[in-house]
Amino acid sequence: MNELDKDIGAKIRFFRKLKGFSLNQLSAATGIAASNLSVIELGKSSPTLATMVKLAKAFGMKVGTFLDDALYTRASLIAPPDSSKDNRPAAEFSLTRSIFLGKIDANLLQLSPGTEWIQPVSSDKLFYGLQGTAEIEIDGEVFQLQERYCLYVLPGPDCEIRNKEPGAAHLLIVSAAKIE
């Protein structure tokens, strides 16, 4: 098993989940056994070109899409989220939304004054204060996250994030990406 096999398998799983297919549904659409698809997704087997053609057809995309990031792209520039269209009191924007095989998940959290946000902590997370001050409660302990301060949190219960300040609070939240 090499890194390219793992990357292609992860991308196949990503597109399968994105299209809402179960392994059995994808198997029915492609004629490839669900057990074979599972082994490929886990990076334990390399897909043949014929397999990738069938998968690409089922996903409605070009075969080369499976290889583009794995072979050619080592860096990706991502446009900022358009927060001007969103006037919710609390909003989370994915900064890594277009990265298929990324190893990290980065989000921007914007909190208007007097708002609260519940953040699940299923993997290690790093919270970084970009603007304003946010109050983060974890297991009853309260931390004041000011600009340029970091808070590292181990997996566990949800974090309650509040903005009790008169101005907006902006936080960067970084964690390991989940590839299901």
Side-chain angles (χ1 to χ4, degrees):
M1 171 171 57
N2 63 44
E3 285 302 310
L4 181 58
D5 292 337
K6 284 193 255 180
D7 287 349
I8 292 172
K11 189 173 269 192
I12 290 168
R13 177 174 285 174
F14 172 83
F15 282 114
R16 178 176 62 80
K17 297 274 187 178
L18 184 68
K19 297 292 184 176
F21 289 138
S22 69
L23 279 171
N24 290 330
Q25 290 170 323
L26 185 56
S27 174
T30 61
I32 302 166
S35 59
N36 290 347
L37 291 170
S38 178
V39 170
I40 291 168
E41 284 187 359
L42 294 172
K44 294 180 179 179
S45 174
S46 298
T48 65
L49 180 57
T51 296
M52 288 196 295
V53 168
K54 290 176 185 178
L55 290 167
K57 185 175 179 183
F59 295 146
M61 59 186 224
K62 295 179 181 179
V63 175
T65 305
F66 293 123
L67 301 173
D68 286 345
D69 287 345
L71 296 177
Y72 306 114
T73 304
R74 294 291 171 226
S76 298
L77 182 63
I78 305 161
D82 186 1
S83 58
S84 65
K85 295 179 182 177
D86 195 337
N87 57 4
R88 294 178 290 176
E92 185 175 22
F93 301 97
S94 174
L95 301 175
T96 52
R97 67 196 172 281
S98 62
I99 306 299
F100 299 119
L101 301 173
K103 306 287 190 274
I104 62 167
D105 184 24
N107 295 284
L108 174 63
L109 178 61
Q110 300 176 348
L111 293 172
S112 297
T115 57
E116 180 175 274
W117 187 260
I118 305 296
Q119 175 70 46
V121 184
S122 53
S123 66
D124 294 23
K125 286 198 184 291
L126 176 81
F127 296 88
Y128 180 76
L130 295 170
Q131 177 184 338
T133 300
E135 182 178 280
I136 301 178
E137 184 174 341
I138 303 161
D139 287 338
E141 188 173 359
V142 178
F143 301 88
Q144 298 295 321
L145 187 65
Q146 302 172 13
E147 292 178 26
R148 298 176 47 216
Y149 277 70
C150 286
L151 176 65
Y152 181 82
V153 181
L154 293 173
D158 293 346
C159 292
E160 293 182 31
I161 306 167
R162 296 180 281 275
N163 181 4
K164 293 184 174 180
E165 301 292 317
H170 295 231
L171 285 77
L172 175 64
I173 305 170
V174 180
S175 62
K178 286 189 287 187
I179 300 178
E180 300 175 3

